[in-house]
Amino acid sequence: MIKIAVFASGTGTNFVALYDHIKQAQLPIEITRVICDQPKAAVLDRARERQIPIWTHRLKEFEGKEAYEQAILTQVQADNAQLLVLAGYMRIVTQVLLNAYAGKIINIHPALLPSFPGRHGIEDAFDYGVKVTGVTVHYVDSGVDSGPVIAQQPVAILPEDSVESLAMKIHDVEHELYFESLCQVLRDQGLLTVQDNG
Ligand code: GAR
């Protein structure tokens, strides 16, 4: 079994999409745990409903960001997680995780990076007035939504679009692209084979 940890801070629709795809495709991938920095986030209920273990603590419970990430690292290593999958995790990852999981942390962002990084990628693209935005999956480095791109998919912004309709289109793309990209990364890393059908 390939073991991955999903990091999230909010609603968790990307976590659910990954979970459903993995189950439907019957792939040998186990989401060992959801790591969450917001103990009241909806993603935690979604994890509990699916019997996925959780780790949730606020940063302020720890002496600092490094201590916080060290606690996360201890947990994901105890779970033998091989890849860290950020799905709406609204924190900048520090060297603690970056060093331990070099080249093994991926993120999804709701814009075509390097345009519109940060917490409001959808709204920022809409407000700017670009005609095309999209979704990016990338390896994580120490920046905000930066690091080598794995996959991108454009989404047109039509004259009749609102932020809400655009967000729906973006999320629909995310829910497919993240799973495809995850399989691609696992194949590239030799963890998933063609026989697994991933
Ligand atoms: C997703 O749209 C994801 O791309 C975004 O947070 C949302 C989480 O939704 N991430 C970022 O903006 C990273 N900068 P979800 O909790 O429903 O999966």
Side-chain angles (χ1 to χ4, degrees):
M1 230 10 153
I2 302 159
K3 294 174 186 287
I4 65 171
V6 173
F7 286 49
S9 302
T11 319
T13 65
N14 278 284
F15 155 69
V16 170
L18 287 172
Y19 176 92
D20 287 347
H21 275 300
I22 290 166
K23 209 168 173 192
Q24 199 173 0
Q26 297 185 309
L27 291 176
I29 302 171
E30 179 189 353
I31 300 176
T32 55
R33 197 171 298 272
V34 168
I35 304 288
C36 181
D37 60 327
Q38 302 295 333
K40 292 186 177 160
V43 66
L44 294 170
D45 292 328
R46 296 181 145 172
R48 288 186 193 103
E49 284 160 16
R50 290 164 180 79
Q51 276 87 49
I52 303 290
I54 59 179
W55 183 100
T56 183
H57 291 281
R58 287 190 193 282
L59 174 60
K60 66 180 180 195
E61 296 171 43
F62 294 81
E63 277 187 9
K65 219 174 164 195
E66 299 224 327
Y68 183 69
E69 269 200 7
Q70 189 56 53
I72 293 176
L73 179 60
T74 300
Q75 181 65 69
V76 293
Q77 285 181 331
D79 294 336
N80 292 317
Q82 293 160 284
L83 190 78
L84 308 185
V85 178
L86 312 192
Y89 184 64
M90 297 302 185
R91 291 201 170 278
I92 298 168
V93 174
T94 76
Q95 292 302 327
V96 174
L97 284 172
L98 288 171
N99 289 340
Y101 279 88
K104 296 197 164 147
I105 310 178
I106 62 174
N107 182 43
I108 189 160
H109 183 73
L112 292 178
L113 294 172
S115 294
F116 310 115
R119 286 171 174 260
H120 307 291
I122 299 171
E123 294 85 344
D124 291 347
F126 186 85
D127 291 346
Y128 193 93
V130 293
K131 303 297 177 203
V132 179
T133 181
V135 175
T136 303
V137 178
H138 64 99
Y139 286 104
V140 171
D141 66 15
S142 57
V144 177
D145 298 317
S146 64
V149 171
I150 298 163
Q152 288 187 307
Q153 191 167 319
V155 172
I157 302 181
L158 304 175
E160 61 267 31
D161 269 323
S162 59
V163 180
E164 291 75 24
S165 69
L166 177 61
M168 281 176 67
K169 289 197 282 187
I170 293 268
H171 293 314
D172 284 349
V173 170
E174 287 190 319
H175 297 161
E176 301 301 317
L177 189 68
Y178 213 8
F179 173 67
E180 290 162 21
S181 304
L182 170 68
C183 291
Q184 183 63 54
V185 165
L186 294 176
R187 278 195 299 268
D188 289 350
Q189 301 201 353
L191 294 169
L192 196 63
T193 64
V194 176
Q195 285 84 355
D196 295 323
N197 279 323

